[in-house]
Amino acid sequence: MTNEPFVIERTYDAPVRKVWEAISDKDQMKQWYFDIPEFKPEVGAEFQFTGGDPKGQQFLHLCKVTEVETDRKLTYSWRYDGYEGNSFVTFELFPEGDKTRVKLTHAGLETFPPISSFAKQNFVMGWTEIIGTSLKQFVEKA
């Protein structure tokens, strides 16, 4: 695995404020992402959730918010309970008229153990579904 972060960008037919609320409001997040009852878009806030292969192993994700710029940027650490490694997920929002370009970067994937569940292609598939389909459909609905 290379040290290159995974980056995906998509443009949504929705204003920045709506996309920001979707990625930072725990009640909205559970409709397209994960149910994270303790999520707060505040630096230092810690949260956890369980996720993984729907038909396979599930992992407890341990995360901590490290950067918040309202309507612009949200970063949190992402690691797995019981495993080495730590990564960072960053959502960046860019207004483009009445649309919003979202750039998601997941850096540090190479710090995880070399097991199939943590293979880069799994993150590529997961984030492509989450950013390319789930979030898009959520923010573009009426």
Side-chain angles (χ1 to χ4, degrees):
M1 181 182 297
T2 67
N3 292 349
E4 292 293 314
F6 173 69
V7 178
I8 183 171
E9 291 190 45
R10 294 292 187 270
T11 300
Y12 305 138
D13 189 12
V16 165
R17 170 58 29 185
K18 187 171 188 178
V19 177
W20 175 259
E21 289 173 358
I23 67 169
S24 65
D25 178 273
K26 64 184 178 187
D27 294 324
Q28 291 189 34
M29 290 167 69
K30 71 181 174 185
Q31 296 178 58
W32 66 272
Y33 190 42
F34 293 100
D35 186 5
I36 310 173
E38 66 274 18
F39 182 84
K40 292 182 187 139
E42 300 168 0
V43 172
E46 296 185 28
F47 62 95
Q48 60 186 34
F49 62 95
T50 301
D53 182 345
K55 299 180 214 110
Q57 189 170 5
Q58 297 287 301
F59 298 92
L60 179 61
H61 297 61
L62 304 173
C63 306
K64 184 175 186 176
V65 177
T66 59
E67 191 173 7
V68 177
E69 293 178 43
T70 303
D71 293 339
R72 295 189 59 228
K73 189 175 192 180
L74 175 65
T75 302
Y76 47 84
S77 63
W78 170 298
R79 60 189 184 86
Y80 298 99
D81 188 39
Y83 294 88
E84 291 183 13
N86 192 31
S87 65
F88 292 89
V89 172
T90 301
F91 289 86
E92 293 176 275
L93 308 182
F94 303 93
E96 295 187 346
D98 57 355
K99 299 178 188 281
T100 304
R101 181 169 50 92
V102 174
K103 177 181 178 183
L104 179 128
T105 303
H106 196 156
L109 298 175
E110 73 282 354
T111 68
F112 296 132
I115 62 173
S116 61
S117 294
F118 301 153
K120 189 170 185 177
Q121 70 257 24
N122 289 334
F123 290 97
V124 171
M125 287 188 311
W127 285 123
T128 299
E129 174 68 22
I130 291 167
I131 299 302
T133 303
S134 300
L135 180 57
K136 177 181 173 60
Q137 290 175 350
F138 182 75
V139 299
E140 290 185 351
K141 72 181 180 186

